[in-house]
Amino acid sequence: MAEEAILGYLESKDEISDSGQFATERGLDHNEVVNVIKSLHGFRYVVAQDIKREMWMLTDEGNAYTVTGSPEVQLFLAIPPEGIPKEELQKKLDPSVFKIGSAQAAKRKWVEMGKQLVTRKIQHVEDEVKNLLLQIQDGQVINQDEIKALKARKLIVPQTWKGYSVKKGPNYAPKRKKVATDLTRENLQRGDWKELEFKEYNFSAKGLPIESGHLHPLLKVRHQLKGIFRQMGFEEMPTNNYVESSFWNFDALFQPQQHPARDSHDTFFLQVPSTTKQLPEDYVERVKQIHESGGYQSRGYGYDWKREEADKNLLRTHTTAVSSRMLYALAQKPFVPKKYYSIDRVFRNEAVDRTHLAEFHQIEGLVCDRGLALGDLLGVLKEFFSRLGMSKLRFKPAYNPYTEPSMEIFSYHEGLGKWVEIGNSGMFRPEMLLPMGLPEDVRVIAWGLSLERPTMILYGIDNIRDLFGHKVDLGLIKKNSICRLGL
Ligand code: PHE
């Protein structure tokens, strides 16, 4: 309807100067006219130009008076020729109509508000307010004084009206041609492809988003880290067991059985199966010895080592449990130097907050060779972290039951403008390595860090619960960019 009207009109006339007027004259809905104009403009059948007008619109109160009449007229009509006591008149009318109506009617000198009676002063009144409101509703222009008065009574408010003026466009035709979007087999068979007009390709249209799986930021960062380890010649350790025995997680690492980390407040112990099935007995004996009375020039801890404690199953609290298994396995064969790494999940019975979850991922690296020294550890750490994009490092003496010396690793964070702790490191103690059976001159340098910390820094996430767990926004996971480290 609207389309025919517009194209038809432009066939003989130069311009539709006002879409609003055009719509009213033809009894068309202006919104529909606007939509058609936009579409015709898009296909360049017409050229449309915006026009704006300040218009007046009726308020709810104004709208109501177009139906009921203005309060002053309602009041006037409620007064019988002989007059009426004020109280009675008040009862006949709505309180707001009475209040506004009596003020307005008195102002216009239509009524006399006497002590006894309210009476008419004239016989007939015109409802000008209602008529003006109806004219405004109809889009007619009325004079400024009247507008002012209605505005003051809050019966109308200003509103910007938007429409178009329309001229023929370069593709103008009295009727829109149907354009073909596809060349079909039928078009070819019938030969009508020669006459068809094809829709132009829109090369800047966006393609459909591809529905596919998405890598979580932790996986992207892990992928990059694996690349760094591999480039540095490290082999991956098998970390496919979340359940570990206390023995490999703690005892083999020379961590005494009364150490606070071995408490159920810090460690998740398993109820079923609660204990491990088997351990290498002769090695267990040597570990017991070193804890109780020492050896290899160590004094040991001097306490009663209990097998039941070592047998207890737990969810591994660090991937160093895997490193201890690997080093033990290495010691069972003629010695060869090794560089190992792992990146996998660990569990700690911790209170959850912005920076802690009860499970997270650890990155761990170790180098095992004859005659390594602390300088080697510093060198490897500098190399490793500079590949992560962190080249300003500082080290702080620390304590781990299984390393001596031990160092916390700090990196200068340009964004935060301060030093942040990024990991922990050290040289595994002889009390850990010698009972395994490694040659005496073999040293192991090692370090560990969380995968979450660098991922949060790289992706600008400040609450760990936005990164991992059930509160994570999947939309964000889909949109995250790929990770590039050290660039
Ligand atoms: N296992 C240590 C931790 O959980 C990290 C570490 C690994 C420290 C290797 C020293 C050597 O924090």
Side-chain angles (χ1 to χ4, degrees), residues 397-413:
Y399 174 76
N400 295 310
Y402 41 90
T403 52
E404 183 59 37
S406 313
M407 303 183 302
E408 278 171 4
I409 311 160
F410 287 75
S411 159
Y412 187 76
H413 190 282

Side-chain angles (χ1 to χ4, degrees), residues 104-236:
Q104 292 289 338
K107 199 169 120 194
R108 282 161 213 254
K109 303 200 170 61
W110 288 355
V111 298
E112 175 83 56
M113 301 295 256
K115 283 227 165 71
Q116 309 273 316
L117 286 179
V118 181
T119 51
R120 291 182 177 182
K121 285 171 97 176
I122 49 173
Q123 288 320 306
H124 180 73
V125 294
E126 278 295 330
D127 199 343
E128 275 166 51
V129 168
K130 177 179 166 179
N131 292 342
L132 287 170
L133 290 173
L134 284 170
Q135 283 170 30
I136 291 171
Q137 204 174 47
D138 203 33
Q140 294 178 33
V141 182
I142 62 170
N143 97 33
Q144 280 306 314
D145 290 343
E146 282 159 344
I147 290 281
K148 245 192 198 161
L150 293 175
K151 199 179 148 203
R153 284 180 71 174
K154 296 206 173 70
L155 302 181
I156 56 171
V157 281
Q159 202 200 27
T160 320
W161 176 90
K162 287 188 189 126
Y164 291 100
S165 73
V166 186
K167 284 188 178 148
K168 276 187 191 143
N171 295 344
Y172 174 81
K175 217 174 156 8
R176 212 201 275 242
K177 272 179 243 141
K178 248 201 159 317
V179 286
T181 48
D182 259 327
L183 178 61
T184 63
R185 205 177 99 200
E186 289 73 25
N187 295 146
L188 293 168
Q189 281 174 340
R190 287 195 298 260
D192 60 6
W193 58 271
K194 287 179 210 151
E195 282 83 51
L196 281 180
E197 194 169 318
F198 289 95
K199 188 175 177 191
E200 277 178 41
Y201 280 113
N202 177 2
F203 292 108
S204 46
K206 271 193 182 163
L208 284 177
I210 297 167
E211 272 309 318
S212 65
H214 295 267
L215 287 181
H216 188 279
L218 282 172
L219 295 180
K220 294 182 195 173
V221 178
R222 186 181 74 173
H223 180 78
Q224 290 280 315
L225 278 158
K226 285 188 174 188
I228 291 174
F229 274 118
R230 275 193 227 112
Q231 286 159 16
M232 290 177 69
F234 284 67
E235 288 170 54
E236 187 167 5

Side-chain angles (χ1 to χ4, degrees), residues 318 320 348 362 364 400 402-403 424-426 428 446-448:
H318 52 184
T320 317
R348 289 184 192 174
Q362 258 188 351
E364 178 141 329
N400 295 310
Y402 41 90
T403 52
N424 186 0
S425 66
F428 285 140
W447 72 99

Side-chain angles (χ1 to χ4, degrees), residues 253 255 317-321 323 346 348 360 362-366 377 399-400 402-403 405-407 421 423-428 444-450:
L253 291 164
Q255 190 143 332
T317 63
H318 52 184
T319 44
T320 317
S323 303
V346 299
R348 289 184 192 174
F360 62 99
Q362 258 188 351
I363 305 164
E364 178 141 329
L366 67 88
L377 176 57
Y399 174 76
N400 295 310
Y402 41 90
T403 52
S406 313
M407 303 183 302
E421 196 198 324
N424 186 0
S425 66
M427 299 187 67
F428 285 140
V444 180
I445 56 180
W447 72 99
L449 62 147
S450 89

Side-chain angles (χ1 to χ4, degrees), residues 139 146 150 256 288 301 320 345 355 360 380 395 403 416 466:
E146 282 159 344
L150 293 175
K288 175 182 157 77
Y301 289 119
T320 317
R345 204 172 285 198
T355 51
F360 62 99
V380 172
F395 304 96
T403 52
L416 299 174
D466 293 335

